[in-house]
Amino acid sequence: MDSLCIKRSLFTLIFPLWKNLKFLRIIFKVFHSFIKPVFSHILKDFPGFTQIHSPYGGYDENYLYSFFILSIFNERKLSTTMKLTFQKDVLLNGINIVLKAVSSKTTMSILGCILIDASGSEIKLTGNDMELGIETKIEGNILERGKIALDAKIFSEIIRKLSSPDAEIHIETDDALNTVISSENSVFKIQGRDSEEFSYLPYIEREHSITLSQFTLREIIRQTLFSISPNDSNKMMTGELFEVHGNELKVVSLDGHRISIRKIILKENYDDVKVIVPGKTLSEISKILNGDNESEVELFFSQNHILFAFDQTIVVSRLIEGEYFRINQMLSGDYETKFTVNKKDFLDCIERATILIRENDKKPLILNILDHSMELKLNSSFGSMNAELSIHKTGKDIMIGFNPKFLIDALRVIDDEEIDLHMMNPKSPCFIRDEDQNYIYLILPVNFNAASV
Amino acid sequence: MDSLCIKRSLFTLIFPLWKNLKFLRIIFKVFHSFIKPVFSHILKDFPGFTQIHSPYGGYDENYLYSFFILSIFNERKLSTTMKLTFQKDVLLNGINIVLKAVSSKTTMSILGCILIDASGSEIKLTGNDMELGIETKIEGNILERGKIALDAKIFSEIIRKLSSPDAEIHIETDDALNTVISSENSVFKIQGRDSEEFSYLPYIEREHSITLSQFTLREIIRQTLFSISPNDSNKMMTGELFEVHGNELKVVSLDGHRISIRKIILKENYDDVKVIVPGKTLSEISKILNGDNESEVELFFSQNHILFAFDQTIVVSRLIEGEYFRINQMLSGDYETKFTVNKKDFLDCIERATILIRENDKKPLILNILDHSMELKLNSSFGSMNAELSIHKTGKDIMIGFNPKFLIDALRVIDDEEIDLHMMNPKSPCFIRDEDQNYIYLILPVNFNAASV
């Protein structure tokens, strides 16, 4: 206890000096340039360090110094007094991005917070539910540096309802973590949380990466995400395989009844990568990608994490551990029947048929493929539907049954006007794929009572 | 049993004759013109008659004849074979109107049906959940007359998803009530229900009525409906008083914490009326009124029912029985403080304050009315808010607390830019009213701990 007391007194003497006197900072800077390589190598796996380490590529030097001093004194304390001003819509935009990683249902209330970190030269907002973390830099004026964690729901609602889009918003904290948010004629006081309680994003080694456009990433997520399993019983099925080989990125999802595969060609060749990304991460990230074909997104892969960097934002997510399913043996190129049909007509027909099905009602949609036409039939306790579409067919006639939902899911995400379906027999999977196999949708058929048709 | 048999045989002989031979119809017509006045007076309260009676002002003569014949033979049967064609959007529009009176949660599945009645010269759709009934006439071709009741959910979804807006839709039924709905390349078969099971709208004597524009009716509903009680424990509070006196219509709703009153001047003088209309009826009718200032709606009042007639639609609803609350003694014109404030600024401020309140969290909004400004304060477990607005005040300073929700509800429906609030003391109701008292919103204040402010 005594030695801690001495340490504290020493700290209170030296800390203000370091903070205010320029020459002391310069000394540290020189000192740092010598010691940095060794220092960073040693501390890489040091648990406290990664917590105050900036997840942006470089090192935030202010962090490094303060960590250095503080670790000497076995004490970690940064001033929480903070004064910032923002333009409302800029702040709200940033909040909406990091909100995607804020846990709404949690017993740990700190996971329901947003961290405002203005301890460096820029302002960063962070949300982190321990599976998924998002950090974004926003424009604003730092009148006094500091950090604070605020309840995400209250904070975002206050900002959303405060004044007009271009109004100025002031945020000010005191040592007791009281936070005052004010704009024009309204003043809110809420209780903040100590930023030290907040879990920073994990540090990701930036070795293996690929680059693609935000538009493409959002598209491939949309075109595959529907066929992950919503069910946690097989963890692997709740994620998607991201496989990089040469200049090809392949994304796969499956749920036991169907497989969705999208391949895209990257601009360069990259090292091989094979990881399983949680579906929730992909769903959230596709909401914050701006979908622009010009803007790029960089993906970094480490042992246990994936990091997406784009615009002013980084998203870090845990990966799902394990070896993904071997799907290649299921992807045969053989078929006995192939037909081409107008996608929109086909989709409309199936959607209409599902009017007669309630959830959990396992009624198959039966396709009767003839030479120039396809009959669609569905019977349920509510009634029956019959429809007919014209097709171009090669190969044998076939009658085959499907869960209509699986066809609908695949057809909805295909952008082609005409699509090709390949079938072997009524027991074997059906493939919807384009010529270059940029997309492959495998769907298992279902049994049906031929007599009832 | 034997006499019934004889009746039936006679009926099967005579009915086709009546149906097909013109001269027989003419005889009935002549006969009818003599007997009609007596006939209609006698049969007015005859239960069977009201069921097949057309609720439109006049009498549907086909009904009358068939009723006459059928009542002689103690047998009521109309052919269910029916063939109709519609333009899709016309049919869908009609369905959407009557759907408002279809019960979605009912143990009696016939209440979840829509009746298509093309037994006369026009096509009528009817929905009826026994509290509220809606009937609307729609355009369509009758190829064969008939009636059928169809499951509202399935029927409406089929029509909604069938083809393009101007496609032609065919509906055909057979004697076994099988119904075929087809359009372009799709054919649906569903099981219909016997139209005889369906409850027709009750017959309403068209004696007492008032006329106003659809826009006005929709507005007065919107401006008062929020303050009915959602709670069934006091049935009277779940409805609204409609009171006609001379050329004035007064609409009142209250829930024990507040009273909303709207008065409008009608174009003519009418007989006195005082009825309580269920809130659900008003809510549904305001959804189907087109809100046009040119189009009118006629309201008819009977002992137990109210009938709204507009466009091609009639809505019939039960009334709530009983004597409404005497509110006049609560409406004092006295006040000690009166102030004028900009409605939008006031509303925005209160809405912002409610960010800090969760449901069931009874935190008062405290208004501190000073000479030229009003302070708004709210404290909760999440934090506090302070705001200030400029006002024009006459009378005493006052500090008074309200449930912010009640203020918000009233302010949202007032269209005036500037509003006047009148207060007596912190324990007496506050009145928001315009000069002519076209609207009066009475809100009870809540207690607050003055020390905590």
Side-chain angles (χ1 to χ4, degrees):
Chain A
M1 279 299 276
D2 263 2
S3 79
L4 188 68
C5 258
I6 297 167
K7 280 181 185 174
R8 287 195 183 212
S9 330
L10 267 173
F11 173 73
T12 38
L13 279 174
I14 293 177
F15 192 72
L17 273 179
W18 166 78
K19 208 178 165 196
N20 296 314
L21 298 181
K22 271 212 166 164
F23 79 90
L24 254 178
R25 307 195 81 177
I26 292 162
I27 291 171
F28 269 107
K29 215 151 200 160
V30 176
F31 168 76
H32 174 60
S33 63
F34 282 106
I35 209 165
K36 185 175 173 179
V38 190
F39 195 78
S40 63
H41 187 75
I42 295 169
L43 288 186
K44 206 173 58 187
D45 302 317
F46 195 87
F49 182 66
T50 54
Q51 277 201 18
I52 60 163
H53 189 284
S54 164
Y56 286 95
Y59 293 93
D60 185 316
E61 299 197 348
N62 280 307
Y63 276 133
L64 211 54
Y65 291 132
S66 47
F67 175 75
F68 183 62
I69 292 185
L70 296 175
S71 63
I72 292 170
F73 291 99
N74 192 21
E75 176 80 69
R76 297 206 324 263
K77 188 162 170 53
L78 285 171
S79 168
T80 53
T81 316
M82 182 182 81
K83 249 188 215 172
L84 311 172
T85 67
F86 298 93
Q87 198 185 313
K88 177 190 160 169
D89 54 355
V90 172
L91 177 57
L92 187 57
N93 189 36
I95 290 173
N96 285 337
I97 290 173
V98 299
L99 262 185
K100 303 282 186 293
V102 174
S103 171
S104 59
K105 288 168 198 156
T106 173
T107 48
M108 284 176 68
S109 64
I110 192 74
L111 299 186
C113 285
I114 289 176
L115 178 75
I116 307 176
D117 183 345
S119 57
S121 55
E122 47 200 11
I123 307 172
K124 286 179 271 184
L125 300 180
T126 310
N128 189 359
D129 69 1
M130 306 307 278
E131 285 290 321
L132 177 67
I134 304 181
E135 185 181 293
T136 191
K137 289 186 209 172
I138 57 170
E139 291 279 322
N141 296 316
I142 305 176
L143 307 179
E144 237 170 273
R145 296 185 177 193
K147 303 199 272 183
I148 192 106
L150 298 176
D151 181 89
K153 191 150 188 274
I154 296 280
F155 180 48
S156 64
E157 280 184 33
I158 290 175
I159 303 303
R160 191 165 294 125
K161 293 212 178 166
L162 266 185
S163 338
S164 49
D166 53 354
E168 199 178 62
I169 287 177
H170 299 255
I171 299 180
E172 207 176 323
T173 64
D174 66 15
D175 281 325
L177 305 167
N178 292 313
T179 306
V180 175
I181 303 169
S182 59
S183 179
E184 290 171 4
N185 57 6
S186 294
V187 181
F188 281 88
K189 280 200 194 97
I190 58 175
Q191 181 62 41
R193 299 281 298 265
D194 191 348
S195 62
E196 297 299 318
E197 289 176 49
F198 197 86
S199 304
Y200 278 77
L201 303 194
Y203 171 70
I204 309 290
E205 199 63 68
R206 304 209 170 200
E207 278 176 21
H208 304 284
S209 80
I210 62 169
T211 301
L212 62 164
S213 82
Q214 294 195 27
F215 174 79
T216 307
L217 180 59
R218 212 170 66 166
E219 281 296 287
I220 57 177
I221 293 173
R222 178 179 73 88
Q223 288 162 344
T224 51
L225 196 62
F226 63 87
S227 63
I228 61 169
S229 167
N231 194 323
D232 256 2
S233 67
N234 189 330
K235 192 77 186 158
M236 214 96 72
M237 286 190 185
T238 65
E240 295 201 348
L241 177 73
F242 273 62
E243 188 176 359
V244 180
H245 180 68
N247 69 344
E248 189 186 83
L249 167 66
K250 187 161 85 174
V251 176
V252 181
S253 72
L254 59 83
D255 68 356
H257 302 284
R258 49 192 170 158
I259 306 177
S260 304
I261 304 172
R262 274 286 278 131
K263 286 179 205 158
I264 60 159
I265 303 301
L266 304 168
K267 283 179 191 157
E268 298 169 44
N269 280 303
Y270 296 97
D271 296 342
D272 282 10
V273 170
K274 205 171 174 182
V275 297
I276 310 170
V277 188
K280 183 178 176 294
T281 298
L282 296 172
S283 155
E284 298 301 340
I285 203 166
S286 72
K287 289 177 202 158
I288 55 177
L289 288 169
N290 71 33
D292 198 332
N293 219 337
E294 306 297 305
S295 331
E296 292 194 325
V297 49
E298 227 176 334
L299 280 62
F300 296 90
F301 305 93
S302 76
Q303 189 69 30
N304 298 314
H305 290 93
I306 185 169
L307 183 150
F308 303 81
F310 56 97
D311 302 336
Q312 297 299 310
T313 304
I314 61 164
V315 178
V316 180
S317 163
R318 274 183 207 276
L319 294 171
I320 296 174
E321 284 170 42
E323 179 121 7
Y324 201 68
F325 309 93
R326 292 207 190 90
I327 55 160
N328 285 334
Q329 63 211 38
M330 294 181 243
L331 305 177
S332 137
D334 298 344
Y335 58 86
E336 295 268 335
T337 309
K338 174 186 169 184
F339 69 91
T340 309
V341 64
N342 179 289
K343 192 208 83 170
K344 191 178 173 306
D345 291 347
F346 192 24
L347 179 57
D348 285 352
C349 246
I350 307 171
E351 284 185 332
R352 244 174 263 147
T354 57
I355 298 167
L356 299 174
I357 313 178
R358 289 291 159 272
E359 260 180 287
N360 306 320
D361 198 0
K362 291 197 176 158
K363 297 294 177 186
L365 174 79
I366 294 158
L367 307 182
N368 189 15
I369 317 294
L370 305 169
D371 263 347
H372 300 291
S373 72
M374 162 165 60
E375 287 171 27
L376 297 94
K377 295 177 193 180
L378 193 140
N379 283 301
S380 83
S381 52
F382 294 104
S384 69
M385 190 216 67
N386 278 275
E388 199 176 310
L389 291 174
S390 65
I391 58 170
H392 297 284
K393 191 196 77 168
T394 56
K396 292 185 187 172
D397 287 4
I398 186 174
M399 194 185 271
I400 188 168
F402 290 102
N403 179 335
K405 184 187 177 306
F406 295 163
L407 285 173
I408 290 174
D409 285 345
L411 294 179
R412 274 195 188 146
V413 299
I414 298 177
D415 297 325
D416 291 352
E417 211 168 297
E418 303 279 324
I419 54 166
D420 293 332
L421 286 89
H422 307 75
M423 293 160 184
M424 182 61 107
N425 61 53
K427 307 274 181 197
S428 301
C430 155
F431 290 89
I432 309 174
R433 62 175 180 239
D434 65 342
E435 223 163 295
D436 305 328
Q437 308 215 351
N438 288 322
Y439 63 79
I440 304 175
Y441 296 103
L442 177 159
I443 302 174
L444 289 181
V446 292
N447 285 330
F448 60 93
N449 185 349
S452 74
V453 179
Chain B
M1 276 297 276
D2 263 359
S3 81
L4 189 67
C5 259
I6 297 166
K7 279 180 185 172
R8 285 197 184 208
S9 331
L10 268 173
F11 173 74
T12 38
L13 278 174
I14 295 178
F15 192 72
L17 271 179
W18 165 79
K19 209 180 165 195
N20 296 314
L21 297 181
K22 272 213 164 163
F23 78 90
L24 255 180
R25 308 196 81 176
I26 293 161
I27 290 172
F28 269 108
K29 214 150 201 161
V30 175
F31 168 76
H32 173 61
S33 62
F34 282 106
I35 210 169
K36 186 176 171 179
V38 190
F39 195 79
S40 61
H41 188 76
I42 295 167
L43 289 185
K44 205 173 61 189
D45 300 318
F46 196 87
F49 182 67
T50 55
Q51 277 202 18
I52 60 165
H53 188 284
S54 166
Y56 286 96
Y59 293 94
D60 186 317
E61 298 196 349
N62 281 307
Y63 276 134
L64 211 54
Y65 290 131
S66 47
F67 175 76
F68 184 61
I69 293 185
L70 295 175
S71 63
I72 292 170
F73 291 99
N74 192 22
E75 175 80 66
R76 294 206 327 259
K77 189 162 169 56
L78 284 170
S79 168
T80 53
T81 316
M82 181 182 81
K83 250 189 212 169
L84 310 173
T85 68
F86 299 93
Q87 196 184 313
K88 178 191 160 168
D89 54 356
V90 172
L91 177 57
L92 187 57
N93 189 36
I95 291 173
N96 286 336
I97 290 173
V98 299
L99 262 185
K100 303 281 186 294
V102 174
S103 172
S104 58
K105 287 167 200 158
T106 173
T107 47
M108 284 177 69
S109 64
I110 192 73
L111 299 186
C113 286
I114 289 177
L115 178 76
I116 307 177
D117 183 347
S119 58
S121 55
E122 48 200 11
I123 307 172
K124 286 179 269 183
L125 301 179
T126 311
N128 188 357
D129 70 0
M130 305 308 279
E131 286 290 321
L132 177 67
I134 303 180
E135 183 181 297
T136 191
K137 288 187 210 172
I138 57 171
E139 291 279 324
N141 296 317
I142 305 176
L143 308 179
E144 236 169 275
R145 295 184 177 192
K147 304 199 271 182
I148 192 106
L150 298 176
D151 180 90
K153 191 150 186 274
I154 296 280
F155 180 47
S156 64
E157 280 183 34
I158 289 175
I159 303 304
R160 191 165 293 125
K161 292 214 178 162
L162 267 184
S163 338
S164 48
D166 52 354
E168 200 180 60
I169 288 178
H170 299 254
I171 299 180
E172 207 176 322
T173 63
D174 66 15
D175 281 326
L177 304 168
N178 292 314
T179 306
V180 175
I181 303 169
S182 58
S183 179
E184 288 171 5
N185 57 5
S186 294
V187 181
F188 280 89
K189 279 199 195 97
I190 58 175
Q191 180 63 42
R193 299 281 299 267
D194 190 347
S195 60
E196 297 299 318
E197 290 177 47
F198 197 88
S199 305
Y200 279 76
L201 303 194
Y203 171 69
I204 309 290
E205 198 62 69
R206 305 207 169 201
E207 277 177 21
H208 304 284
S209 80
I210 61 168
T211 303
L212 63 164
S213 82
Q214 293 195 28
F215 174 79
T216 306
L217 180 58
R218 211 170 68 169
E219 281 296 287
I220 57 178
I221 293 174
R222 178 179 73 88
Q223 289 163 343
T224 51
L225 196 62
F226 64 87
S227 64
I228 62 169
S229 167
N231 193 325
D232 256 2
S233 68
N234 190 330
K235 192 78 186 156
M236 215 97 70
M237 286 189 185
T238 65
E240 295 201 347
L241 176 74
F242 272 63
E243 188 175 359
V244 180
H245 180 68
N247 68 343
E248 187 185 84
L249 167 66
K250 187 162 84 173
V251 176
V252 181
S253 72
L254 59 83
D255 68 358
H257 302 285
R258 50 194 170 156
I259 306 175
S260 304
I261 305 171
R262 275 285 278 130
K263 285 179 206 160
I264 60 159
I265 302 301
L266 303 168
K267 283 178 190 159
E268 299 169 42
N269 281 302
Y270 295 96
D271 295 341
D272 282 10
V273 171
K274 206 169 175 183
V275 297
I276 310 170
V277 188
K280 182 175 176 298
T281 298
L282 296 171
S283 155
E284 298 301 340
I285 203 165
S286 72
K287 290 177 199 156
I288 54 178
L289 287 170
N290 72 32
D292 197 333
N293 220 336
E294 306 298 304
S295 334
E296 292 194 326
V297 50
E298 227 177 335
L299 279 64
F300 296 89
F301 305 94
S302 76
Q303 187 71 28
N304 299 312
H305 291 92
I306 184 168
L307 183 151
F308 302 81
F310 56 97
D311 303 336
Q312 297 300 310
T313 303
I314 59 164
V315 177
V316 180
S317 162
R318 273 183 207 274
L319 294 172
I320 297 174
E321 285 170 40
E323 178 121 9
Y324 201 68
F325 310 94
R326 290 206 192 89
I327 55 159
N328 284 333
Q329 64 211 40
M330 294 181 243
L331 305 176
S332 135
D334 299 343
Y335 59 87
E336 295 268 334
T337 309
K338 174 186 170 184
F339 69 91
T340 308
V341 64
N342 179 290
K343 192 208 85 170
K344 191 178 173 306
D345 291 347
F346 191 24
L347 179 57
D348 286 351
C349 246
I350 306 172
E351 284 184 331
R352 243 173 263 149
T354 57
I355 298 167
L356 299 174
I357 312 178
R358 291 291 158 272
E359 260 180 286
N360 305 322
D361 197 2
K362 292 195 176 160
K363 297 294 178 185
L365 175 78
I366 295 156
L367 307 182
N368 190 14
I369 317 294
L370 305 170
D371 263 346
H372 300 291
S373 72
M374 160 166 61
E375 287 170 26
L376 297 94
K377 296 178 192 179
L378 192 140
N379 283 299
S380 84
S381 51
F382 295 103
S384 69
M385 191 216 67
N386 278 276
E388 199 174 310
L389 291 174
S390 66
I391 58 170
H392 295 284
K393 191 196 77 166
T394 55
K396 291 185 185 172
D397 288 3
I398 185 173
M399 191 183 274
I400 187 168
F402 290 102
N403 179 334
K405 182 184 179 308
F406 295 162
L407 285 173
I408 289 174
D409 284 346
L411 294 179
R412 274 195 187 146
V413 299
I414 298 177
D415 297 324
D416 291 352
E417 211 168 297
E418 303 278 323
I419 54 167
D420 292 332
L421 286 90
H422 307 75
M423 292 158 184
M424 183 62 106
N425 61 54
K427 307 273 182 199
S428 302
C430 156
F431 291 88
I432 308 174
R433 64 174 178 236
D434 64 342
E435 220 163 295
D436 304 329
Q437 308 214 352
N438 288 322
Y439 63 81
I440 303 174
Y441 296 103
L442 175 160
I443 302 174
L444 290 181
V446 292
N447 286 329
F448 60 93
N449 186 348
S452 75
V453 179

